[in-house]
Amino acid sequence: MLSNYSTYFENAVIAGRQKLDAAVINLVLHDLAANALTRAAYLLEENKKDLDRMDPHDPKYDRLKLTATRIVDIAAEINNVAQLKSPLGLTLSEKTMPNGLHISKVSVPLGVVGVIYEARPNVTFDVFSLCFKTGNVCILKGGSDAEHSNKAIIAIIHQVLVKYNIDINVATLLPAEREATDALLSAVGYVDVLIPRGSQQLIDHVRNNSKVPVIETGAGIVHTYFDETGGLQKGSEIVFNAKTRRVSVCNALDCLIIHYSRLKDLPALVKPLGEKNVYLYADKTAFTILKGHYPDALLNHAKPEHFGTEFLSMTMAVKVVDSFEAALDHIAANGSKHSEAIISEDAARIETFLNQVDAAAVYANASTAFTDGAQFGLGAEIGISTQKMHARGPMGLEELCSYKWIIKGDGQIRKP
């Protein structure tokens, strides 16, 4: 199987050997951003071919969809990446040993980065811009749902690269078939790291079957805890934004946890969600309070499986707890270590929450919708890492670098 795709991998390795000046890299990225805007009609036309094959009610539909506004945002993110300082060649630390050896720790690219993703064509732009800025080569394996969109994007990228006489294999799009995924998982000696972006099923498949090192960008099962001292107006706005801003992304709210002492405020807290037709799966206590105060057609009894679910739709679970500790326990048992939030005016409790909750991004009195590379000032992101090795949270330029030790001497030898 690998042999059928070895040419792709070999060409990527060769492309990674070229060294580009930082100024040229930035010119390419600015040019790509401009081309994304001028070729927007073409991108939308190709994207429509993919959209026409997908059920509009599929949670992936919104992820797949490109719009004129989204293309403007994509171009802005590419320009942002270009304007950021390069993380390459930085001396992270240095010292001179008693024997005269000068030792320095210097940032370098990861190498060949493979990314497996589903129906998110914007990822094609994001991954290329971040990898290109950091001297990495990217091998992209998009899903068949976005095949036309990804081909159009990679064609624009290649046109810009050719203009600057740069090997187009610095950005390789593999065929959409499943066999290409299997080959990428086995590309030992060609690919330095794999990053899956998509459903928990995809991430599990990559983690369990890859022979190449994997950085997990896990599913986002996101909670917001409304504490005893939480501000009602503030809380309502945060919950509404976290749930409804864009339901198909990994930072969207999945479960509202509320302290039992604030049950009387629950109807007001979720009232805006009803106006947006959000389905609630409420536990027994929450259901009783909401009955008659939330649209009957949108209110449902929660089952155990509704807690610990990434909905990716206008759906949210509601859990009542009798203590702060119970809220922490519920998050620990059902979260995915992505993004978690507390709404509270108790400074000590906020600090405890921020320190004890094990997640890549932990919020106090703010929407989890901010878990995003651009919002964190990273320009863009290659994914939200939910693991602890190498990178955690939004992966920007620095997270696409490794380092090496450089040792300079003057004839030193180590004694027996």
Side-chain angles (χ1 to χ4, degrees):
M1 181 64 67
L2 181 61
S3 61
N4 295 336
Y5 300 91
S6 59
T7 300
Y8 289 104
F9 304 143
E10 290 168 357
N11 289 340
V13 172
I14 293 171
R17 294 171 185 160
Q18 62 184 334
K19 302 302 178 185
L20 300 175
D21 184 78
V24 173
I25 290 173
N26 293 338
L27 280 174
V28 170
L29 292 175
H30 285 307
D31 206 338
L32 176 60
N35 271 268
L37 295 175
T38 58
R39 303 292 302 280
Y42 166 61
L43 290 172
L44 293 175
E45 179 182 342
E46 294 303 300
N47 181 241
K48 187 176 184 302
K49 294 178 182 178
D50 292 325
L51 292 172
D52 288 344
R53 297 182 300 165
M54 183 178 286
D55 180 357
H57 297 99
D58 189 317
K60 292 188 292 184
Y61 188 88
D62 181 63
R63 292 188 177 196
L64 174 63
K65 187 176 183 180
L66 291 176
T67 65
T69 299
R70 289 182 180 180
I71 292 174
V72 169
D73 291 341
I74 288 169
E77 289 191 355
I78 296 172
N79 281 323
N80 286 341
V81 170
Q83 292 164 2
L84 292 173
K85 181 180 179 181
S86 173
L88 292 177
L90 301 180
T91 300
L92 305 176
S93 66
E94 60 180 331
K95 56 188 173 182
T96 300
M97 303 302 293
N99 61 4
L101 287 178
H102 182 79
I103 300 176
S104 57
K105 183 180 178 183
V106 178
S107 57
V108 297
L110 287 174
V112 178
V113 178
V115 181
I116 303 175
Y117 53 111
E118 294 174 323
R120 296 191 65 173
N122 64 295
V123 172
T124 307
F125 276 119
D126 290 346
V127 170
F128 169 73
S129 60
L130 289 166
C131 284
F132 191 66
K133 178 77 173 185
T134 52
N136 291 293
V137 168
C138 59
I139 298 180
L140 305 163
K141 173 58 184 71
S144 58
D145 290 337
E147 182 174 9
H148 293 288
S149 305
N150 288 332
K151 284 183 175 179
I153 294 169
I154 205 71
I156 293 174
I157 291 172
H158 283 174
Q159 288 169 3
V160 174
L161 291 172
V162 168
K163 176 180 175 180
Y164 291 87
N165 197 31
I166 296 171
D167 189 338
I168 63 171
N169 293 298
V170 297
T172 298
L173 179 67
L174 294 178
E177 63 257 20
R178 178 67 175 270
E179 291 77 12
T181 299
D182 296 335
L184 190 53
L185 296 176
S186 301
V188 176
Y190 298 107
V191 178
D192 293 286
V193 64
L194 272 180
I195 303 173
R197 287 190 62 171
S199 66
Q200 191 64 54
Q201 182 180 7
L202 169 67
I203 294 163
D204 289 344
H205 177 76
V206 172
R207 182 184 62 244
N208 295 333
N209 294 279
S210 179
K211 297 178 182 178
V212 176
V214 174
I215 297 177
E216 286 190 46
T217 58
I221 301 170
V222 178
H223 302 81
T224 292
Y225 169 56
F226 190 73
D227 192 35
E228 293 171 272
T229 62
L232 180 57
Q233 182 63 33
K234 181 190 298 182
S236 180
E237 292 174 359
I238 290 172
V239 169
F240 181 77
N241 179 258
K243 177 67 263 182
T244 67
R245 176 191 167 273
R246 193 172 175 191
V247 297
S248 66
V249 294
C250 57
N251 57 32
L253 179 59
D254 295 297
C255 181
L256 170 64
I257 306 171
I258 183 169
H259 194 279
Y260 80 99
S261 67
R262 299 301 301 274
L263 280 176
K264 67 180 186 302
D265 293 316
L266 180 57
L269 188 63
V270 300
K271 184 177 185 293
L273 298 178
E275 297 167 358
K276 197 74 171 180
N277 296 318
V278 174
Y279 286 87
L280 296 184
Y281 284 92
D283 68 8
K284 184 177 180 179
T285 303
F287 186 94
T288 300
I289 295 296
L290 291 172
K291 185 67 175 176
H293 299 283
Y294 197 81
D296 286 344
L298 301 174
L299 183 60
N300 309 273
H301 285 284
K303 298 179 180 179
E305 59 266 26
H306 291 125
F307 300 109
T309 294
E310 183 183 26
F311 289 108
L312 301 174
S313 63
M314 287 289 188
T315 307
M316 189 181 80
V318 182
K319 173 72 175 177
V320 179
V321 293
D322 59 8
S323 68
F324 173 64
E325 291 72 23
L328 296 181
D329 290 342
H330 185 83
I331 291 171
N334 295 279
S336 63
K337 304 184 188 302
H338 190 290
S339 299
E340 309 290 1
I342 183 173
I343 300 168
S344 176
E345 298 302 318
D346 185 326
R349 183 155 288 182
I350 287 173
E351 284 304 307
T352 300
F353 186 91
L354 297 178
N355 290 329
Q356 291 193 9
V357 170
D358 185 10
V362 190
Y363 293 81
N365 296 317
S367 168
T368 57
F370 287 104
T371 306
D372 174 87
Q375 294 298 313
F376 281 19
L378 306 179
E381 72 187 39
I382 204 164
I384 308 292
S385 172
T386 55
Q387 65 183 42
K388 299 180 182 179
M389 295 295 289
H390 179 68
R392 198 176 198 196
M395 292 182 61
L397 298 178
E398 291 183 7
E399 289 73 26
L400 283 172
C401 293
S402 182
Y403 57 83
K404 64 181 177 183
W405 296 94
I406 295 178
I407 303 94
K408 295 180 180 179
D410 186 25
Q412 288 90 339
I413 60 172
R414 187 172 178 178
K415 295 179 180 179

